[in-house]
Amino acid sequence: MTTAEGAPRVAPQVLPPDLAELPPGPRLSAALASLDLRRLTAHQLAVVIAAQNRQIAYEQSRLLAAVWELGHTPLDVRDAVVREPDPVPFAMVEAAQAGRWTQHHANEIRDLAYFVLDQVPALGDALATGQVDLEKVKVFKRLLSNVVDVTLMRTIVALALPSAVHGTTGTLRSRLYRLRCKLSPEAVRRQRERDHDSRYLAAHQEISGLVTLAARFCDEQAAMAALEHIDAIAAATRAAGDPLRRSTDQLRADIALSLLAGVDPAKAGFATPADRKGVITVTVNLATLAGLTGLPGLSLGSRSCPHATPTEQAILSHLTAADPGITVADPGIAGLCPQCLAQAADLVLEPGDLAGYGPLVAHITRQTVAQLARVSIWRFAVTDDHGRQVAEGAIPADRLPDMDIEMRRWAADASAGPDGRAHRIPTAAQAAFVRARDRHCQAPGCRVPAHRCQIDHRIPWRSGGPTLIDNLYCLCRLHHRAKDEAGFTYHPTGSGLRWTTPAGHTYLTRPGSRRSRPRSRRRRDHRSLGIVVTAAAYRHTSRARDGMA
């Protein structure tokens, strides 16, 4: 039998039966070396890629261990095995020459070896067993470089490792920064102030003679607002028909340069976007937003509670000491037991999320939202005890002081009819609900923010799929095309989405937790703690006031 091109079909080579589960080491290395990659199907090659990545991580772990050992071995002793407790001078000169590395790279490898073998051995074990690769280890090191407390560093690694095994470097970076914001907010604040004081704009000449402009250490909300403005101009230009047929990235670069040069984009040939939805979007826990003593609902409990423990009181003391800006009411006055008060203090330190950027430390979140409140329409989202969104809507300005609001989930679908076939295009309320729920593209590892995504019918409209929020998901343009044109499919599960590739593999997406740990059943009486507020900035137009997406 021949293929469409006339080339003879080749029967695929049979993979070792345990290749997908084989731990890295000599056996896996031998199994991989026995394969002829030209005789494998797409499904088999995906299995090989995963196995090869595990094996590479194992070899990288051995390389780091060898560099660490050399760093503590006297260079002039050849007839005995000797190790020094302190690093040996010039050992990394030997390592650089042996590895054909620059001295800078040798020092970087040494620092990584010290990081995974001495400071966070759990991460070293994960690398050796192929659960994470060296790129993820570098993300851990970069995000934890300013954490001086080794115990705190190991705590953060322990909390982030489970998601690091299944996630990408992007999701890991966001998770680590969120943990730092919550567990060490003062250190994050100091580093942010130092970096912001060092902000600069630089021009770097490329090999071709063109120039790269880089602005570093910019304010988060200003930077995201600038990017959103550029995106809007680019989208309007493409919609109007760009005569030069530039890609979106080319348009964004040209628009940014025109703006920096003081040229009116309209005079430079770019289209002017219509009044549109917000400059930036921040998602913030209600307790983080309001602060502990100003949070409605915290004084509704009884004055005595049977489940207070000394450990929980200690947690409360630790959390409040970490952020001097938190004022903790007397539990007897507030009507809360120390456990519920500790829960509230924990929530006050929960970082917010800036769309397209990532976590914001709690006090920066409060500052950002306070600025947005002057020019924004506020929207809220209600989540259940598992973090799943069940309602979303706008909050009138006169209702902001009272956040104890309940909505029915089906309200967003009120105009879609009982079978969801009344209209194909999602309503403004449906689009707002889906974007608030998903936050970003729902493909595995993709972090394109929801406002830049398309809303996809999971079951296509042409196949009878309803325009109901349970059938609508945010997908970026690439993953939307992959689903519609290349045979990728996805289905909801109890904990996220299960994606199936054309090659026959499945990958799970896990929704980002709004909290660091699940709420226990005995804490559900404080209903307002389950409300998450999304503050979205709008231009003051009639479309914005009507809630149009």
Side-chain angles (χ1 to χ4, degrees), residues 230-231 233-235 237-238 242 244-258 270:
I230 291 171
D231 283 345
I233 298 175
T237 303
R238 284 180 66 88
D242 177 28
L244 300 180
R245 296 187 175 181
R246 286 166 288 188
S247 68
T248 300
D249 283 338
Q250 290 171 336
L251 281 169
R252 293 171 82 227
D254 292 348
I255 293 164
L257 198 60
S258 295
F270 301 106

Side-chain angles (χ1 to χ4, degrees), residues 311-371:
T311 301
E312 288 158 347
Q313 296 182 38
I315 291 173
L316 175 60
S317 302
H318 168 75
L319 288 170
T320 53
D323 189 345
I326 297 176
T327 302
V328 181
D330 184 333
I333 298 174
L336 291 176
C337 68
Q339 178 177 3
C340 294
L341 197 57
Q343 177 194 4
D346 183 42
L347 286 170
V348 167
L349 295 178
E350 188 71 30
D353 280 290
L354 177 58
Y357 168 78
L360 286 176
V361 70
H363 79 279
I364 297 297
T365 299
R366 285 190 283 271
Q367 291 176 13
T368 302
V369 172
Q371 294 168 8

Side-chain angles (χ1 to χ4, degrees), residues 18 85 185-186 200 333 357 408:
D18 57 348
E186 186 59 24
Y200 64 88
I333 298 174
Y357 168 78
R408 293 299 301 262

Side-chain angles (χ1 to χ4, degrees), residues 292-317:
L292 187 56
T293 55
L295 182 62
L298 286 187
S299 59
L300 300 180
S302 63
R303 291 187 177 275
S304 61
C305 190
H307 50 73
T309 67
T311 301
E312 288 158 347
Q313 296 182 38
I315 291 173
L316 175 60
S317 302

Side-chain angles (χ1 to χ4, degrees), residues 173-349:
R173 189 178 297 108
S174 178
R175 171 71 171 151
L176 286 173
Y177 188 68
R178 172 176 287 278
L179 287 169
R180 280 192 59 198
C181 287
K182 182 165 185 176
L183 299 178
S184 187
E186 186 59 24
V188 172
R189 183 189 65 78
R190 288 195 300 267
Q191 182 181 349
R192 183 184 183 279
E193 289 176 351
R194 286 194 302 270
D195 286 349
H196 194 241
D197 288 342
S198 305
R199 60 191 180 277
Y200 64 88
L201 176 69
H204 305 288
Q205 188 175 28
E206 303 293 346
I207 298 174
S208 63
L210 298 173
V211 172
T212 294
L213 290 176
R216 292 203 67 190
F217 304 129
C218 301
D219 177 80
E220 305 99 314
Q221 77 174 65
M224 300 315 297
L227 288 175
E228 194 275 340
H229 181 53
I230 291 171
D231 283 345
I233 298 175
T237 303
R238 284 180 66 88
D242 177 28
L244 300 180
R245 296 187 175 181
R246 286 166 288 188
S247 68
T248 300
D249 283 338
Q250 290 171 336
L251 281 169
R252 293 171 82 227
D254 292 348
I255 293 164
L257 198 60
S258 295
L259 290 169
L260 287 172
V263 177
D264 183 346
K267 293 181 179 177
F270 301 106
T272 301
D275 288 333
R276 63 194 191 280
K277 188 175 178 178
V279 175
I280 62 174
T281 300
V282 178
T283 303
V284 52
N285 183 286
L286 177 59
T288 301
L289 173 67
L292 187 56
T293 55
L295 182 62
L298 286 187
S299 59
L300 300 180
S302 63
R303 291 187 177 275
S304 61
C305 190
H307 50 73
T309 67
T311 301
E312 288 158 347
Q313 296 182 38
I315 291 173
L316 175 60
S317 302
H318 168 75
L319 288 170
T320 53
D323 189 345
I326 297 176
T327 302
V328 181
D330 184 333
I333 298 174
L336 291 176
C337 68
Q339 178 177 3
C340 294
L341 197 57
Q343 177 194 4
D346 183 42
L347 286 170
V348 167
L349 295 178

Side-chain angles (χ1 to χ4, degrees), residues 51-62:
Q52 193 76 64
N53 202 43
R54 292 199 307 276
Q55 184 64 22
I56 289 172
Y58 168 81
E59 300 295 349
Q60 289 167 334
S61 170
R62 302 231 349 134

Side-chain angles (χ1 to χ4, degrees), residues 31 57 79 83 86 135 164 181 187 192 205 215 227 269 280 300 373 396 400 414 417 465 498 505 507 530 536 547:
D79 55 354
R83 295 292 185 269
D86 298 323
E135 290 308 309
C181 287
R192 183 184 183 279
Q205 188 175 28
L227 288 175
I280 62 174
L300 300 180
L400 279 177
R498 176 185 288 108
H505 292 280
Y507 301 95

